[in-house]
Amino acid sequence: MSKVIKVNIKNNPYKIFIGTEILNNIDKFHREYFNDRSKIVIYDKILNNSVYLKQIIKKLGKNTNLIPINSGEKSKSKKSLYDLYNNLFSNNVDRSSVIYAFGGGVIGDLSGFAAATYMRGIDYVQVPTTLLSQIDSSVGGKTAINSSFGKNLIGAFYQPKLVLIDLNTLDSLPKSQMIVGYAEMIKYGLINNKKFFEWLEINGKNVISKNKKSLEKAIYICCKSKADIVKKDEKENGQRALLNLGHTFGHAFERLANFKKFSHGEAISVGIILAFKFSCESKLCKKDDLSRVYNHFNEIKLPCEIGHLFKKNIKAVDIISSMKLDKKTINSAIKLILVKGIGKAFIADKINEKKLSLFLKNNGFF
Ligand SMILES: NC(=O)c1ccc[n+]([C@@H]2O[C@H](COP(=O)([O-])OP(=O)(O)OC[C@H]3O[C@@H](n4cnc5c(N)ncnc54)[C@H](O)[C@@H]3O)[C@@H](O)[C@H]2O)c1
Ligand SMILES: [Zn+2]
């Protein structure tokens, strides 16, 4: 049994399958969608000896090309990309081949960008193996590598042909990575689905402890929500930006810490709290809603403050400068996703810098 979602993007529609028997049937998916076209599996080295990779090889056949990639954000680099192209050339991969991106967001973003550009584009399938990639990065077609000027600055919108989410791949995922994914999961409830947030208040712990039924329901709701948003705004000219709730603050913190000291999930969970606080102080959102979010974060042990994680004092002015480096910033005007309550996020353009600076100073920065 699996759940199916249609991503109805004009010109590039595709389906997402979610379940526990997905890898076991990967050969059937391949035959149905790609007949006897040759396949290449690009995978995270951490999965080298995993049962999942063995299952894929068994099902897709020994003649499947396998390309391991080092784990971690460093692999979203020009060097890894060019090594990957060379690997594809020497394996005689051509436009009739199909790439399977098997790993977390790093593998999905790198392989997706390679697929978008290799021979001007070949088909690829996302097979995400982290909670974050299963609810976020594998859907929507954003692909990218990093540059020394910033994260994800070199990339393309390039939709996969299929997304195959096997919940069993999360069995080996460490709890810290489950929490990173959970921070992104809450976002879907907070932006436009209060009912989902309420469900998470009750079932969030089961999601983190990998209860399969809860996971399947939650991943389905997130993918459905992302699919709906992407369908309306594929290239992020409008509503897709709502998915950045907490991210303008979060990315600024990550940049100021040189992407060390804390995880992306921790940075954005603090970012989400700040977005709610700023909304409350701007009289847009009720304090009760902030308290409710705060309580849930505490229960799940998501951080609500970040100053102490830097282990040094961070200045409000530096946070604001870092926020301006965000690629979503236009003409230096800071744009934030704010809320009128739980499930009521909106895009606030041209944030008043003085007000923001005062707010940051009142919230633990200098
Ligand atoms: N394209 C998009 O729309 C989009 C959206 C959000 C994030 N991203 C990108 O996604 C990346 C983050 O994704 P991520 O959190 O999946 O990171 P990741 O791919 O680095 O995976 C996190 C860690 O888990 C390990 N891992 C992966 N699968 C595993 C498994 N099944 N069992 C045990 N360990 C496993 C990895 O080796 C890594 O150490 C970032 O580069 C971010 O920019 C992209
Ligand atoms: Zn994120």
Side-chain angles (χ1 to χ4, degrees):
M1 279 298 285
S2 60
K3 284 195 149 95
V4 189
I5 296 168
K6 273 192 194 161
V7 189
N8 280 321
I9 295 180
K10 223 165 111 199
N11 304 326
N12 293 304
Y14 56 97
K15 284 185 184 163
I16 306 168
F17 290 86
I18 305 164
T20 50
E21 284 297 319
I22 304 288
L23 292 187
N24 239 342
N25 289 295
I26 198 164
D27 50 333
K28 296 191 188 106
F29 283 110
H30 188 81
R31 267 198 304 280
E32 188 183 336
Y33 285 84
F34 309 109
N35 296 314
D36 55 359
R37 289 163 63 181
S38 64
K39 47 240 169 207
I40 307 100
V41 177
I42 301 173
Y43 69 94
D44 187 318
K45 263 189 192 163
I46 205 161
L47 303 169
N48 238 332
N49 297 314
S50 67
V51 283
Y52 332 122
L53 187 66
K54 287 190 185 121
Q55 207 173 8
I56 291 185
I57 298 168
K58 189 171 150 210
K59 291 288 170 180
L60 289 184
K62 290 227 163 66
N63 57 351
T64 305
N65 275 319
L66 296 173
I67 306 180
I69 303 285
N70 288 333
S71 305
E73 192 66 31
K74 273 200 181 135
S75 286
K76 277 174 61 173
S77 65
K78 187 173 121 191
K79 164 132 189 7
S80 304
L81 179 70
Y82 275 69
D83 288 349
L84 180 53
Y85 289 143
N86 290 339
N87 217 322
L88 295 172
F89 286 123
S90 40
N91 279 302
N92 298 318
V93 172
D94 61 26
R95 279 201 181 146
S96 69
S97 312
V98 181
I99 286 178
Y100 285 81
F102 185 52
V106 163
I107 303 302
D109 280 12
L110 170 74
S111 311
F113 187 58
T117 45
Y118 183 79
M119 295 188 172
R120 297 208 179 89
I122 68 173
D123 289 346
Y124 78 114
V125 177
Q126 290 276 17
V127 192
T129 64
T130 61
L131 184 58
L132 180 142
S133 57
Q134 295 188 347
I135 60 162
D136 195 350
S137 61
S138 64
V139 179
K142 275 191 186 177
T143 71
I145 59 166
N146 302 327
S147 126
S148 54
F149 288 87
K151 263 187 75 160
N152 298 328
L153 290 181
I154 301 159
F157 286 97
Y158 191 64
Q159 301 294 339
K161 288 287 168 218
L162 196 59
V163 180
L164 299 177
I165 301 178
D166 195 317
L167 306 173
N168 290 335
T169 59
L170 299 179
D171 286 351
S172 56
L173 197 72
K175 187 164 179 198
S176 56
Q177 291 298 335
M178 288 299 291
I179 302 257
V180 171
Y182 190 81
E184 304 279 3
M185 184 175 270
I186 292 185
K187 200 178 72 179
Y188 289 99
L190 298 177
I191 59 177
N192 62 10
N193 190 344
K194 187 169 179 183
K195 229 173 114 189
F196 182 48
F197 176 77
E198 285 169 346
W199 183 86
L200 286 174
E201 284 184 310
I202 299 164
N203 297 284
K205 282 191 174 154
N206 296 336
V207 170
I208 291 177
S209 62
K210 302 179 188 171
N211 172 289
K212 291 276 152 68
K213 237 177 140 188
S214 306
L215 266 175
E216 189 181 62
K217 177 167 176 167
I219 293 172
Y220 176 83
I221 290 173
C222 296
C223 287
K224 181 89 181 55
S225 171
K226 181 141 187 197
D228 287 344
I229 291 175
V230 170
K231 179 179 75 184
K232 290 186 205 131
D233 178 22
E234 185 184 359
K235 305 241 161 112
E236 199 165 315
N237 298 314
Q239 293 299 297
R240 188 168 178 167
L242 293 179
L243 293 167
N244 296 321
L245 175 66
H247 280 65
T248 309
F249 287 113
H251 284 156
F253 298 144
E254 286 184 281
R255 256 182 240 117
L256 288 172
N258 283 325
F259 297 92
K260 292 173 189 139
K261 299 199 165 106
F262 40 77
S263 71
H264 176 68
E266 289 174 312
I268 65 150
S269 75
V270 176
I272 291 173
I273 293 291
L274 288 176
F276 265 81
K277 271 192 178 168
F278 190 65
S279 303
C280 282
E281 289 194 11
S282 308
K283 308 248 177 315
L284 292 161
C285 167
K286 284 198 223 118
K287 285 232 164 79
D288 286 356
D289 280 355
L290 167 64
S291 312
R292 208 164 153 183
V293 177
Y294 205 83
N295 288 343
H296 184 55
F297 278 34
N298 275 332
E299 211 173 315
I300 297 293
K301 301 204 167 46
L302 281 174
C304 297
E305 278 158 22
I306 206 148
H308 60 290
L309 298 178
F310 276 102
K311 297 193 180 80
K312 64 174 183 187
N313 293 340
I314 298 292
K315 287 190 192 142
V317 59
D318 292 336
I319 298 175
I320 291 178
S321 309
S322 179
M323 280 171 135
K324 287 186 179 167
L325 292 175
D326 206 288
K327 63 180 173 311
K328 278 127 198 158
T329 302
I330 297 169
N331 296 337
S332 292
I334 294 175
K335 190 164 103 178
L336 282 177
I337 307 305
L338 297 181
V339 288
K340 291 182 182 159
I342 292 171
K344 292 184 193 155
F346 69 98
I347 302 164
D349 285 326
K350 299 187 194 130
I351 295 291
N352 181 317
E353 263 184 50
K354 269 195 189 146
K355 201 171 140 192
L356 184 61
S357 169
L358 191 65
F359 167 77
L360 289 167
K361 285 179 185 165
N362 288 334
N363 280 281
F365 302 99
F366 292 83

